[in-house]
Amino acid sequence: MKRIVIAGVSGAIGGALASAMLERDPEATVIGLCRKPEQAPEALRGHKRGGVLAWDAADAGSPASVAEALEPVLGRKEGIDTFIYAAGLLHGPGLFPEKRLEDLDAVSMARAFAVNSTGFALLVQALLPWFRHRDFKRIAAVSAKVGSIGDNGFGGWYAYRSSKAALNMLVRNLSIELPRRCKPAICVALHPGTTESALSEPFSQSLAKLTVHTPAETAANLIRVLEALDEQGNGRFLSWNGSELPW
Ligand SMILES: NC(=O)c1ccc[n+]([C@@H]2O[C@H](COP(=O)([O-])OP(=O)(O)OC[C@H]3O[C@@H](n4cnc5c(N)ncnc54)[C@H](OP(=O)(O)O)[C@@H]3O)[C@@H](O)[C@H]2O)c1
């Protein structure tokens, strides 16, 4: 994992992944993507092997701009060997996890799908020319266990659950197409485990019973899982400890 692009580096998990990736390998280059590059960690922005480009999942034209801006910093000939999608949306202005059917809102659902699912596939589409090299490529989407259809015993959280389930289906589709078009490549969905972040903060009281990881711990866990994967790991939905989750 040497030529790395991470989407969502202004977030807790994305930022920690970027820092950990830079630290663990003195030859790694890490390019981060987020809406406001100035809000990305200084450890990435100011690093000689790092950089941050502007990207907004809500803007359909943004992946093309990312591709254009990426070429001079990490050329398509050199390519990307690791792409991690760590952007995600659970709550925000006018958006909060729905408890019941009456809470559903079309605009909120569209926002959740843009960030939690569509944004991933459109970035992979724009970055496809960077995956056409002969080295092993890992493409990973940070999903969530609550996006598992098989594991859903509680209901609620309609927009988040359904957009993460859609993300998982995109991962599964790409796990079929990418190895055909840019072999050797794998595409996986990762559950990061409950992690301290702005996304989980409103639920900190109900999370008190659960193990909550720091972003640095989560980054280390996800890197361990990713690093252990070979081509046999393609198309899987894995938890932070490496265990398999039901789709
Ligand atoms: N924390 C947990 O306990 C937990 C558990 C399960 C799964 N996850 C998943 O882990 C991933 C990272 O979450 P986190 O905990 O690190 O949350 P976070 O700190 O809130 O980070 C969320 C990231 O998503 C980005 N984002 C939101 N809307 C965007 C948009 N329109 N365009 C581009 N980027 C956008 C944010 O960028 P801005 O800074 O610009 O808003 C930020 O970089 C998410 O996919 C989340 O669903 C987290």
Side-chain angles (χ1 to χ4, degrees):
M1 296 194 278
K2 293 207 182 293
R3 301 180 309 277
I4 301 152
V5 173
I6 301 173
V9 283
S10 54
I13 296 175
L17 277 167
S19 302
M21 290 289 210
L22 279 170
E23 265 172 40
R24 66 185 278 282
D25 185 342
E27 288 177 10
T29 299
V30 179
I31 305 298
L33 311 178
C34 65
R35 286 192 286 191
K36 295 187 180 135
E38 67 278 10
Q39 285 177 7
E42 171 57 26
L44 177 64
R45 276 186 297 134
H47 203 287
K48 62 178 189 307
R49 291 181 282 110
V52 184
L53 306 175
W55 161 74
D56 187 338
D59 173 2
S62 198
S65 310
V66 167
E68 203 179 315
L70 183 62
E71 183 63 37
V73 262
L74 187 60
R76 61 187 73 191
K77 262 195 168 159
E78 203 181 347
I80 296 167
D81 64 25
T82 308
F83 172 61
I84 306 176
Y85 190 83
L89 187 63
L90 172 59
H91 56 83
L95 168 65
F96 204 77
E98 310 87 345
K99 289 197 170 125
R100 53 188 200 142
L101 190 56
E102 285 84 345
D103 297 337
L104 264 68
D105 173 75
V107 174
S108 298
M109 288 201 77
R111 269 174 67 203
F113 272 77
V115 182
N116 293 337
S117 29
T118 327
F120 167 65
L122 294 182
L123 274 178
V124 175
Q125 181 190 54
L127 297 176
L128 189 61
W130 277 261
F131 297 136
R132 294 189 180 281
H133 55 81
R134 290 182 181 183
D135 299 343
F136 183 51
K137 291 152 288 270
R138 295 169 170 89
I139 290 117
V142 180
S143 183
K145 196 174 166 187
V146 297
S148 163
I149 292 175
D151 186 63
N152 183 2
F154 286 107
W157 292 31
Y158 283 85
Y160 189 70
R161 279 190 191 276
S162 55
S163 56
K164 287 292 189 181
L167 173 68
N168 288 354
M169 183 58 92
L170 290 166
V171 165
R172 192 67 182 205
N173 261 20
L174 288 167
S175 77
I176 294 165
E177 184 168 351
L178 290 177
R180 286 184 188 149
R181 299 184 62 185
C182 15
K183 192 178 170 71
I186 59 166
C187 186
V188 294
L190 302 175
H191 168 58
T194 308
T195 308
E196 291 164 9
S197 76
L199 183 140
S200 64
E201 200 277 329
F203 312 97
S204 50
Q205 275 193 327
S206 45
L207 297 177
K209 295 166 249 139
L210 300 173
T211 308
V212 183
H213 299 115
T214 65
E217 287 166 348
T218 293
N221 290 332
L222 295 180
I223 289 170
R224 196 177 312 112
V225 172
L226 267 181
E227 207 163 28
L229 288 172
D230 57 17
E231 283 179 272
Q232 305 306 315
N234 186 34
R236 293 166 69 193
F237 182 17
L238 298 167
S239 189
W240 59 272
N241 59 6
S243 62
E244 191 109 26
L245 291 170
W247 290 106

